[in-house]
Structure formats: structure tokens, C-alpha cells
Amino acid sequence: GLGLRIGRSDTIDKAAVGLGSAVAAAGIVWVAYLFAWRLSGSAVGARRTALALALGTLVWPYSKFGFNVALTSGCLTAGIYSAWVGVRLDRVKTLAASSAWLAWAFLTRHEMAVPALLVAAWIIFESRHTWRRLTERLIWFSIPLAAAFAFWLWYNDVRFGSPLDPGNLDDPVVGFDAPIL
């Protein structure tokens, strides 16, 4: 290391995680600005959208904590924006980037598989008129997500003894039969 002693032994680690959340939150606002600008064609409207997101939602408060919320939200936002650009501008490599962002969101929180499936359904819907484009788009979109899913299965198997056990299956609150109160 650097030989520096600052606070406790985990101070620099905690600062790095906290800074990562701030950077991820700034990324969310930037991608939202880009998305709003593409959708509306108005830089003023995009700035207002970005400011409303930054100051009127939980993006700002969560930017100060070492939780995975900012990272997950940033990956999800970038993935959805990239999918929109990939389909609208017919860029299959941008769909692969979308899938990579969504794969990172999934690896951060496994329930992010649901938005990834919804984006895939939207790509199918938007590409339904041309079989060749649909196939090409789905192949480019599927590769990073398939790799992330394979890694997730392997990790669960190594760490928890089963590919489909993400480590919280012993929690009594996970099941649908758990009392809400």
C-alpha cells in the first residue's frame, strides 16, 4: 500500500464505496439527461428532467451511502437508454452494450433480471416486422446477459451449494406465505 494511516483500517475502503455511489448517482443523472434530450430534442427540457431526477427523487440521498442502489440504478438506466438507442438507430453493438449494462445490474441485484426481460420483450416488439433484424438484435442483446447469468449460477453453486440459491432462500420472509406484518 501507500503506507498512509488514515482513521481506522477500513476508512479508505468505505470512502471508495461512498465515492462510487456518488459517481454512479451522477451517471444516472447524466444518462437521464441524454435520454430526455434524445426523446424530446430539447436541451432545456433535458436539463429540467435531469435536475428533477437529481433533486426530486432519492438519487441524491442514496448517493451518500455505500448501498448498491446507485450502482444498480445507474446500470439499469444506462441499459434502458442503450437499448432505446440501439433499436431506434439500428445499432446492434449498442444493444450489446445495453445488455452489458443490464447484466451488471443483474449481478448487483438478481431481481434486475425482470427489467432485462422486459427490455428483451420490447426489442422483440420493436423488431417484429423483420425476422433477420429481430434475430440479429436478440443475438447481440443476449450474449452479455447469458454470460452474466452463467456466472451467477456458477457463483451461487460455489458459494451456497446450489446454482439457484442466491443465499437468501433460508430467510423466512422470502416466501409468499410469510406474514406481511
Side-chain angles (χ1 to χ4, degrees), residues 46-71:
R47 279 194 299 272
R48 289 179 181 160
T49 300
L51 282 171
L53 174 68
L55 303 176
T57 69
L58 291 175
V59 169
W60 181 277
Y62 274 110
S63 72
K64 299 177 186 101
F65 297 104
F67 300 132
N68 61 4
V69 174
L71 177 61

Side-chain angles (χ1 to χ4, degrees), residues 39-155:
L39 287 171
S40 69
S42 167
V44 172
R47 279 194 299 272
R48 289 179 181 160
T49 300
L51 282 171
L53 174 68
L55 303 176
T57 69
L58 291 175
V59 169
W60 181 277
Y62 274 110
S63 72
K64 299 177 186 101
F65 297 104
F67 300 132
N68 61 4
V69 174
L71 177 61
T72 305
S73 299
C75 291
L76 189 60
T77 304
I80 292 170
Y81 172 67
S82 298
W84 188 85
V85 168
V87 169
R88 290 290 185 248
L89 301 180
D90 199 25
R91 296 179 180 166
V92 290
K93 291 182 182 176
T94 305
L95 289 175
S98 166
S99 177
W101 283 113
L102 294 170
W104 280 113
F106 167 71
L107 290 174
T108 306
R109 297 186 60 92
H110 62 268
E111 61 269 20
M112 291 300 113
V114 174
L117 290 173
L118 292 173
V119 170
W122 178 77
I123 291 169
I124 291 167
F125 177 78
E126 288 292 317
S127 309
R128 67 192 180 280
H129 299 298
T130 308
W131 177 254
R132 188 184 70 72
R133 291 311 284 159
L134 171 63
T135 305
E136 185 179 15
R137 286 175 175 176
L138 284 180
I139 288 171
W140 279 93
F141 183 76
S142 298
I143 292 170
L145 279 169
F149 187 67
F151 175 80
W152 182 76
L153 292 172
W154 170 81
Y155 180 79

Side-chain angles (χ1 to χ4, degrees), residues 9-34:
S9 62
D10 63 348
T11 299
I12 293 189
D13 296 338
K14 287 183 177 181
V17 169
L19 179 61
S21 292
V23 169
I28 295 166
V29 174
W30 175 247
V31 172
Y33 169 80
L34 292 174

